[in-house]
Amino acid sequence: MNEITKTEQHSPVTENPWRQLRRYTDARIAQGRSGVSLPTKALLEFQMDHASARDAVHIALKTEALAEQLKSAGYDAITLHSRAADRTEYLQRPDLGRRLDLRSVEQLEEYRQQHPESASVAVVIADGLSSMAVQSHAMAMTQAVLSRLENRGLKSAPVTIVSQGRVAVGDEVGELLGVELLILLVGERPGLSSPDSLGIYFTFRPQVGLTDARRNCISNVRPAGMSIAAATDKLIWLIDESQRLQCSGVGLKDQSVSATIKQTHKNFLLP
């Protein structure tokens, strides 16, 4: 017992006096030091976060499970695939992740033939670079957005789930479904403290070949980042303005202020 107490009193770790600021951020700051190196605890936390980030990229999205969740919630769902055959090809050939494979194109063309009535909005879910983010947040985000749009009288196409899909693949889905408003939910590139970050891209009148200048992005949607309620407020504002101005992207500046953020003031940097 005396030996343990003696060891605790003579810890080799030199604490960083700025450590108290870590309660405001997940960033890896004020780690302290042991000699000229990181303390063992900080090193182990780094290795764990690095492993989580790698898992977020490589673990496959459970598309069938997600489709079943959507159907249970009352939404039609269609599973599709990009031209990237597997994860290795997806990571090495970004261009293939931006287009649908032939079978997926045929699926959407058959759907349009059977349902000639047009929809206004389509939600596309793509695994992107973090299946963890999509598996964790896409369902709740889809429900929050579609319920708000339905209250506005906008008809939605079936929710499509694209495996090995990148952002631009949503343009092809939107064009084939003939919608005016495209909402793409995609797993963002994971950081060491944010392996579960969901990105939202909005495009007015999507079509193949559009550049990122025609898209609006809402980033870092996750429990430790932007909440689903705040992201939904921002997205609805963008949709309303896009219909008024008939555009999206650089022509549509985000001047919204989330009612959720105004009410909570959780960010100490905000006035």
Side-chain angles (χ1 to χ4, degrees):
M1 182 64 182
N2 290 336
E3 291 182 358
I4 294 175
T5 303
K6 185 177 181 180
T7 301
E8 290 176 345
Q9 291 175 344
H10 295 83
S11 171
V13 176
T14 301
E15 297 289 349
N16 188 305
W18 296 100
R19 185 176 178 79
Q20 58 178 326
L21 296 179
R22 293 193 63 184
R23 68 178 183 270
Y24 296 117
T25 177
D26 291 331
R28 192 166 275 98
I29 61 171
Q31 298 287 314
R33 62 182 176 83
S34 179
V36 295
S37 302
L38 281 173
T40 300
K41 182 174 184 296
L43 179 62
L44 292 175
E45 288 174 347
F46 170 81
Q47 291 174 335
M48 176 61 78
D49 288 346
H50 187 257
S52 296
R54 289 180 60 88
D55 286 348
V57 172
H58 291 285
I59 292 177
L61 176 65
K62 298 175 182 176
T63 56
E64 295 303 325
L66 184 56
E68 286 303 317
Q69 289 179 4
L70 289 164
K71 290 175 181 176
S72 298
Y75 301 108
D76 292 333
I78 301 175
T79 56
L80 306 171
H81 205 288
S82 78
R83 294 182 183 179
D86 52 36
R87 203 58 172 170
T88 300
E89 189 170 51
Y90 172 84
L91 294 173
Q92 295 176 345
R93 291 285 307 272
D95 57 318
L96 298 181
R98 298 183 182 118
R99 297 297 303 271
L100 294 173
D101 65 10
L102 181 59
R103 174 60 189 138
S104 297
V105 172
E106 292 174 348
Q107 280 181 264
L108 294 182
E109 289 176 341
E110 290 172 6
Y111 176 85
R112 282 299 301 281
Q113 292 175 359
Q114 297 169 1
H115 302 80
E117 67 282 4
S118 61
S120 302
V121 57
V123 173
V124 180
I125 300 173
D127 46 8
L129 286 169
S130 174
S131 60
M132 185 184 300
V134 174
Q135 210 83 59
S136 300
H137 314 311
M139 181 66 201
M141 190 69 218
T142 299
Q143 287 182 295
V145 172
L146 288 182
S147 64
R148 294 276 292 272
L149 294 178
E150 288 168 1
N151 290 337
R152 281 170 158 70
L154 295 175
K155 182 180 179 181
S156 60
V159 179
T160 52
I161 306 168
V162 185
S163 296
Q164 314 299 354
R166 292 181 183 267
V167 172
V169 78
D171 292 337
E172 187 168 16
V173 176
E175 182 176 349
L176 289 168
L177 289 173
V179 298
E180 186 171 64
L181 310 172
L182 173 74
I183 300 165
L184 178 110
L185 312 182
V186 63
E188 294 182 335
R189 185 186 304 277
L192 287 177
S193 59
S194 56
D196 62 337
S197 184
L198 187 72
I200 305 170
Y201 288 81
F202 168 69
T203 309
F204 183 76
R205 290 177 183 163
Q207 57 183 292
V208 174
L210 295 183
T211 67
D212 288 342
R214 291 285 299 276
R215 292 183 257 275
N216 293 91
C217 177
I218 301 170
S219 183
N220 197 32
V221 180
R222 63 193 182 99
M226 180 179 287
S227 69
I228 287 176
T232 303
D233 287 344
K234 192 173 287 292
L235 179 59
I236 295 298
W237 187 92
L238 288 170
I239 289 173
D240 288 344
E241 283 297 289
S242 74
Q243 291 183 301
R244 183 176 70 85
L245 299 173
Q246 300 288 289
C247 68
S248 61
V250 296
L252 176 59
K253 298 298 184 184
D254 180 9
Q255 298 177 348
S256 66
V257 178
S258 169
T260 304
I261 292 176
K262 287 177 66 178
Q263 290 169 5
T264 58
H265 287 275
K266 287 184 176 179
N267 189 335
F268 78 104
L269 294 173
L270 295 176

